[in-house]
Amino acid sequence: MGRGDVLCVTLAALLGACDVQADTIGQHDVSEAAVRPINGTPGKAAIASRIWEPSAGHIQVPIWPGTVPNALPHPKPESVGPPPGREWWPRANNVSRPTMTIYAPTGANTGAAVMVLPGGGYQFLAMDLEGTEICDWLTSRGITCVLLKYRVPESGPTYRDGKRYYPPVPTALQDAQRTLGLIRKSAKEHGIDPNKIGVMGFSAGGHLAAALSTNFAKRAYRSIDAADVVSCRPDFAMIAYPGHIWAHEDEEAKSRDPSDLKLRGDIIVSLETPPTFIIHAENDDTDSVQQSLAYYIALKEADVPAEMHIYAEGGHAFGVRPTKSSIGNWPKLAEQWLRSINVIQ
């Protein structure tokens, strides 16, 4: 048994979780032999009826030991993969029971941990590009990763029928607060420094990371156990090409003032907001650079240590995949920043 197995089994025992889903198909390497045609459509799209599962040696554990707060009365079944006719990739759809998966450091343990929040517009979750691939990078640097499969769809600000939709209850924030508390409560037994637990989010996950960084004083749900008593404040945050942060994002591009960098009402920065690293591409056509600029300005006005890197090229959803653009150097800058705030040596 590897160390990752020990971490996950211990955590499962801590939560008293049943329904632990062991791996059957890895998220990076799905063989054609493992899938069968659905409605005459061959190939990897055939596994769309399955739920997302982590690679061998890792176990995903439900973060709620009983009833999920503010649960949908009749949720659609969870599935993995895009709609029919599109190139297959491991996105998670219709997540109604959120889970966390621990990835132990592959090198010397630094004691630091990062909760990873994939993007997907609060409609689905990019479990590879902004999930497992991020964990692979961070664990290779001695950082424990906790990949959160939070509830979607419509668990945060998103679009419905072509219009902006704000859910009455931010259930994704509930999941993030709960998971951060679980990590901190069991930190020592997993070799984690309870004062070096951060969050990293991409796109909609970037908004969720900012929401958690500014909404930690009070849980968005009724506390159920000791994990909800410890602080759910991240000690640091890394945010990549976030959306839903700039107050004017829904206004007509021709009439709105791009220099008016106000924040949305649910993101209220204070001196207690954790040190933050931000990365964005200026040519991002999905979430404009004003999203990151607005957050950075608010952080600086609150005297929160912040570092932001804006690149001319890179678009949206670049993750840590190789690219000829200079934006591909951002992970090195993030590592330097982590050293500068004494999270890693």
Side-chain angles (χ1 to χ4, degrees):
M1 181 182 293
R3 185 179 174 210
D5 300 301
V6 176
L7 290 176
C8 292
V9 172
T10 302
L11 184 58
L14 171 69
L15 294 178
C18 302
D19 301 338
V20 174
Q21 300 152 338
D23 171 71
T24 55
I25 296 179
Q27 73 274 38
H28 292 305
D29 184 17
V30 180
S31 66
E32 293 294 338
V35 299
R36 296 290 183 269
I38 293 179
N39 297 327
T41 303
K44 294 179 178 179
I47 87 167
S49 61
R50 308 189 61 139
I51 65 171
W52 178 86
E53 295 175 342
S55 59
H58 303 93
I59 300 174
Q60 56 177 326
V61 180
I63 65 171
W64 302 100
T67 302
V68 177
N70 301 104
L72 296 174
H74 303 290
K76 295 180 180 178
E78 183 180 336
S79 65
V80 62
R86 298 185 185 181
E87 182 179 359
W88 193 92
W89 61 284
R91 54 178 260 184
N93 313 297
N94 300 316
V95 178
S96 59
R97 193 173 191 195
T99 66
M100 57 188 275
T101 304
I102 293 182
Y103 294 79
T106 56
N109 186 5
T110 64
V114 171
M115 178 172 65
V116 177
L117 307 174
Y122 286 113
Q123 292 296 323
F124 56 86
L125 299 176
M127 298 301 292
D128 58 343
L129 172 70
E130 296 161 356
T132 56
E133 293 175 20
I134 305 304
C135 292
D136 288 344
W137 160 52
L138 291 172
T139 55
S140 72
R141 302 306 190 267
I143 299 172
T144 299
C145 276
V146 179
L147 177 55
L148 175 60
K149 186 173 72 173
Y150 57 88
R151 278 174 281 179
V152 287
E154 300 178 355
S155 53
T158 186
Y159 281 94
R160 176 193 281 183
D161 300 325
K163 298 180 180 179
R164 177 70 62 184
Y165 171 75
Y166 300 99
V169 178
T171 53
L173 178 60
Q174 291 179 335
D175 296 343
Q177 289 179 331
R178 169 72 178 171
T179 304
L180 205 294
L182 286 169
I183 299 169
R184 180 159 282 129
K185 182 179 182 299
S186 59
K188 291 185 179 180
E189 58 194 277
H190 298 319
I192 297 171
D193 185 333
N195 298 312
K196 291 185 178 181
I197 302 173
V199 62
M200 185 168 201
F202 299 80
S203 194
H207 168 268
L208 183 53
L212 180 62
S213 296
T214 55
N215 292 273
F216 51 81
K218 182 179 180 180
R219 292 292 206 275
Y221 58 92
R222 182 176 296 178
S223 296
I224 58 175
D225 57 29
D228 297 327
V229 177
V230 299
S231 172
C232 65
R233 175 188 178 273
D235 296 304
F236 58 94
M238 295 183 283
I239 295 176
Y241 43 89
H244 320 303
I245 288 179
W246 186 34
H248 301 295
E249 66 177 346
D250 297 329
E251 299 174 9
E252 290 291 333
K254 294 182 179 180
S255 59
R256 68 188 180 193
D257 181 3
S259 65
D260 185 1
L261 299 176
K262 294 180 181 178
L263 295 177
R264 278 178 19 90
D266 63 316
I267 307 295
I268 303 175
V269 176
S270 71
L271 184 60
E272 299 301 314
T273 301
T276 303
F277 177 92
I278 305 172
I279 182 74
H280 214 121
E282 193 279 329
N283 68 340
D284 188 334
D285 293 330
T286 300
D287 290 309
S288 72
V289 72
Q290 277 82 7
Q291 305 278 357
S292 287
L293 290 171
Y295 195 51
Y296 176 77
I297 292 299
L299 291 168
K300 298 312 296 180
E301 289 182 347
D303 291 327
V304 175
E307 182 171 319
M308 179 173 65
H309 296 272
I310 303 295
Y311 287 82
E313 306 259 340
H316 190 75
F318 44 81
V320 292
R321 293 180 179 176
T323 175
K324 294 181 179 179
S325 171
S326 57
I327 204 167
N329 294 320
W330 78 263
K332 295 180 181 179
L333 297 175
E335 291 174 36
Q336 291 176 338
W337 177 76
L338 289 172
R339 291 187 179 91
S340 73
I341 62 172
N342 298 316
V343 169
I344 61 176
Q345 300 301 318

